Amino acid sequence: MIKKLQKRSLSLPPGLLPSSGVLILYMLIAAVSSVLFTQDNNWDLRNYHFYNAFAYFNDRSGLDILAAQLQSFFNPILDNFLYVLIVNFRPITVGAILGMIHGLNYFLVFKITEASFSRIESHSLAFRSFSLQITSFKLALLVSFAAFVAPASFNLLGTSYHDNFVSIPLLLSIFFIIKALDAQENRLLLLLFLGGIAAGISFGIKMTSLIIILASTVAMFIVLPKLWTKLQGVAIYGGGIITGALFSGGFWYWRMWETYGNPIFPFFNNIFKAPDVFNVAIRDARYLPTSFIDGLLYPFYFMYNSAYTYGQGSFSDLRFAILFVIIIVWGLKIIFDRTKGVKQPTLSKEFPFLLIFFSTAYVIWLVQFSIYRYLFMLEALAFLPITILVYQLFPSKKIGTTFIVGFIILTALYGSFPRHHRIPWQENYINASFPALEGLDSSVVILGGKRPTACFAPLFPPTTKFMRLSSNMHHYISANSRFSQQIFDLLASHQGNFYLLSWGNFIPQEQRMFQALDFEIDTRRSWRFNNPHEPRLQIWKVNRK
């Protein structure tokens, strides 16, 4: 007896098609926005993002000395990816590709919000004849839209800063943790391990990811039930972090250890004590608060004076001030309710995790960096704790959602967004024209004025050497370090020409520095270095005395 095979209908996981639509939507919007914002020309790109990849692929270790200053020693893995894009595609295409990748951030904010509010009661918002049914999907769209329309979001879109690149695996890590909090023990540990790997990949690329990693570890330890589960969870998560960090950064840790005796050279040298730099912990303290009260006021500074945490443009934004005020109101409500004997509603695990994570990450950022673009991920997630707390303040979901929508609209309308360091789209990503100087292929070009000019090195003959006599690294090296010795040896032994690439207003200061080394800038012989990136650059001939 032959049985007929029954046709099986292919069923997709629920929510896959709508989520795919959101993913495509954000990638397209981000790509188009990147193109409209014009070409990236940020300081880091000019200083080291382009140069470090060029140096890595062409092994410039025996030719150049501190060309990209302190940043010469950063893991170049993302810079290598950027370099491949730049040398193979037109600049406008590079911007669109980067924007498309950056669009993943907003999709992940959408997924985190949707997972966090998966149990929200469906309710409707009505305005005159218009009515909208609110679900976790639509709420997630609102929160992810607020993440997109934000200062750091617009500033970083389509650029090489990488803060909104390493945030992608970090957001994925938070998504895995949110999913783990509702999972059975075996699946919980697997999800935490995957979350750790994602976070570790970010850390291996950029150490500022530690803000998110420490905060998520603290929040996870507090929220997970039972001590044994807490210890297991943190250990598994930590194992994932180590695995991910070695995957993305292991090759660079080894190179730095083998070369300098510090796997994260030149940072934390107070611990590793590499002989080539002073035994200090290098950090950028320009934007740190000057007092406890000053630190408390940062969310309000963002409303009108972003110079406190951002020295390269201006912006105004309400989201952190709104969150700060809501936290105070929520705290007062808890105190008032307790005096009246009113029991607080039980929160699902996701909400305490997100609130503790966000608060801890913000405090770490504030005391360790206070540089606004390092806050990109918290800026993107800011309306998530706002939404959680608004729903705690208003038992009516309809009223709560009305406030959330109002806050998002107000924030979008009030905000002003920095888009500094952009130039019109060029024919080549790095452009410059200069005369055919005498003996340039056997010359040493000294990069002056601490300006970010290493990006121009690939435009010179491949045998031209580059070095710096002053940089943001020179504060940390002694006269006996290998860098100082290499500089002195090159100045003493080089038989070819010396040229200086710098700004005219730096010449008096640099002339004094050269004269102390028995050299002199020939101020009668200079040439224009025509370029759209650093328009004030000139080249001077440098002679021995």
Side-chain angles (χ1 to χ4, degrees):
M1 181 177 172
I2 300 174
K3 292 183 178 179
K4 288 185 178 180
L5 293 173
Q6 293 183 342
K7 291 183 179 179
R8 288 187 177 181
S9 60
L10 181 64
S11 59
L12 296 173
L16 178 62
L17 286 177
S19 291
S20 300
V22 174
L23 171 62
I24 294 168
L25 176 69
Y26 273 128
M27 291 181 77
L28 288 176
I29 290 174
V32 172
S33 299
S34 296
V35 170
L36 294 175
F37 290 168
T38 67
Q39 185 174 318
D40 176 28
N41 189 42
N42 76 73
W43 195 96
D44 290 357
L45 169 70
R46 287 175 280 147
N47 184 51
Y48 74 97
H49 286 313
F50 190 59
Y51 170 81
N52 280 4
F54 164 73
Y56 182 82
F57 286 126
N58 295 279
D59 190 15
R60 303 285 299 181
S61 56
L63 294 171
D64 303 337
I65 306 170
L66 298 176
Q69 310 189 67
L70 181 148
Q71 290 84 1
S72 302
F73 308 99
F74 286 8
N75 182 347
I77 190 167
L78 281 186
D79 296 332
N80 292 349
F81 170 70
L82 175 71
Y83 186 83
V84 169
L85 291 181
I86 288 173
V87 298
N88 286 287
F89 298 100
R90 293 182 62 205
I92 195 168
T93 307
V94 174
I97 292 171
L98 290 176
M100 194 176 294
I101 294 169
H102 296 158
L104 293 171
N105 285 288
Y106 314 110
F107 171 71
L108 287 168
V109 172
F110 164 82
K111 292 302 294 181
I112 290 168
T113 307
E114 189 182 37
S116 302
F117 288 93
S118 59
R119 290 183 290 274
I120 191 172
E121 298 171 9
S122 179
H123 55 283
S124 62
L125 282 185
F127 180 74
R128 295 183 180 176
S129 60
F130 175 78
S131 180
L132 179 66
Q133 196 71 16
I134 298 297
T135 61
S136 60
F137 180 88
K138 289 170 185 171
L139 187 65
L141 276 178
L142 282 170
V143 172
S144 57
F145 168 76
F148 178 72
V149 185
S153 168
F154 279 14
N155 185 45
L156 299 176
L157 205 55
T159 72
S160 65
Y161 275 121
H162 300 332
D163 299 280
N164 55 343
F165 207 124
V166 296
S167 59
I168 295 168
L170 287 173
L171 285 166
L172 185 61
S173 173
I174 299 300
F175 176 73
F176 280 133
I177 294 172
I178 293 295
K179 300 297 281 186
L181 293 176
D182 262 345
Q184 297 297 321
E185 185 173 345
N186 289 340
R187 191 160 179 267
L188 178 147
L189 295 178
L190 173 62
L191 288 168
L192 291 182
F193 184 67
L194 292 174
I197 289 175
I201 288 171
S202 289
F203 179 79
I205 297 169
K206 191 161 186 171
M207 288 195 299
T208 53
S209 304
L210 194 60
I211 299 170
I212 303 301
I213 291 171
L214 289 176
S216 57
T217 304
V218 169
M220 184 198 314
F221 187 82
I222 293 171
V223 171
L224 286 174
K226 301 177 186 176
L227 180 60
W228 177 241
T229 306
K230 293 176 189 287
L231 295 174
Q232 264 190 315
V234 169
I236 292 292
Y237 184 63
I241 290 168
I242 293 170
T243 304
L246 289 176
F247 174 77
S248 62
F251 78 103
W252 197 248
Y253 296 152
W254 178 250
R255 176 179 286 198
M256 291 297 100
W257 173 260
E258 207 173 32
T259 308
Y260 302 109
N262 177 348
I264 50 177
F265 184 86
F267 297 101
F268 294 102
N269 209 50
N270 55 325
I271 297 171
F272 293 102
K273 304 188 186 307
D276 293 302
V277 295
F278 295 130
N279 295 334
V280 295
I282 297 173
R283 66 188 298 209
D284 187 344
R286 288 174 297 168
Y287 302 111
L288 292 175
T290 55
S291 66
F292 177 74
I293 298 298
D294 190 39
L296 282 179
L297 293 175
Y298 269 45
F300 301 100
Y301 295 155
F302 299 154
M303 292 173 59
Y304 70 94
N305 187 359
S306 56
Y308 278 88
T309 60
Y310 195 78
Q312 300 169 315
S314 62
F315 69 88
S316 53
D317 191 63
L318 290 175
R319 73 194 67 218
F320 287 100
I322 290 171
L323 178 56
F324 191 87
V325 171
I326 289 175
I327 289 171
I328 294 172
V329 173
W330 180 57
L332 292 173
K333 180 180 180 294
I334 290 174
I335 295 170
F336 180 79
D337 286 348
R338 284 186 176 176
T339 60
K340 297 292 184 181
V342 178
K343 191 176 180 182
Q344 296 298 311
T346 304
L347 297 174
S348 59
K349 291 178 185 176
E350 299 91 344
F351 293 168
F353 170 80
L354 288 166
L355 293 173
I356 296 166
F357 158 75
F358 195 96
S359 305
T360 306
Y362 179 81
V363 170
I364 294 171
W365 169 84
L366 187 66
V367 300
Q368 186 62 34
F369 299 107
S370 292
I371 297 172
Y372 191 81
R373 64 185 171 87
Y374 296 169
L375 204 58
F376 166 77
M377 186 168 152
L378 294 188
E379 177 193 79
L381 290 172
F383 268 94
L384 196 47
I386 288 172
T387 302
I388 292 169
L389 294 177
V390 165
Y391 282 144
Q392 294 304 304
L393 290 172
F394 299 102
S396 167
K397 292 292 185 287
K398 186 180 293 188
I399 296 174
T401 303
T402 302
F403 270 96
I404 292 161
V405 171
F407 287 146
I408 290 173
I409 292 172
L410 182 64
T411 301
L413 293 176
Y414 178 86
S416 63
F417 310 108
R419 293 202 301 274
H420 73 287
H421 289 169
R422 304 266 187 173
I423 56 176
W425 290 110
Q426 305 290 305
E427 196 60 37
N428 297 300
Y429 216 88
I430 302 295
N431 277 301
S433 63
F434 50 93
L437 301 174
E438 178 188 350
L440 194 57
D441 57 344
S442 59
S443 296
V444 172
V445 175
I446 297 156
L447 303 175
K450 300 183 184 178
R451 295 302 304 165
T453 50
C455 65
F456 299 113
L459 307 183
F460 285 76
T463 50
T464 303
K465 298 180 180 181
F466 295 86
M467 63 180 285
R468 288 185 183 269
L469 297 180
S470 63
S471 71
N472 58 20
M473 179 73 172
H474 279 71
H475 306 294
Y476 306 109
I477 60 177
S478 69
N480 300 320
S481 74
R482 81 171 71 184
F483 304 115
S484 300
Q485 197 57 53
Q486 287 170 348
I487 290 169
F488 295 141
D489 288 348
L490 185 57
L491 290 173
S493 63
H494 183 68
Q495 298 301 309
N497 291 328
F498 288 89
Y499 293 99
L500 170 69
L501 182 63
S502 189
W503 285 12
N505 56 311
F506 296 136
I507 293 303
Q509 176 186 346
E510 288 176 335
Q511 185 73 281
R512 290 192 294 272
M513 184 169 55
F514 275 108
Q515 287 173 347
L517 296 166
D518 287 330
F519 281 79
E520 188 172 42
I521 302 169
D522 186 347
T523 53
R524 298 166 301 173
R525 300 180 68 188
S526 67
W527 300 268
R528 290 287 300 168
F529 192 82
N530 297 306
N531 75 95
H533 312 282
E534 288 263 327
R536 295 165 65 184
L537 282 177
Q538 292 179 255
I539 300 180
W540 282 267
K541 183 76 169 59
V542 177
N543 301 316
R544 296 182 191 274
K545 277 189 175 180

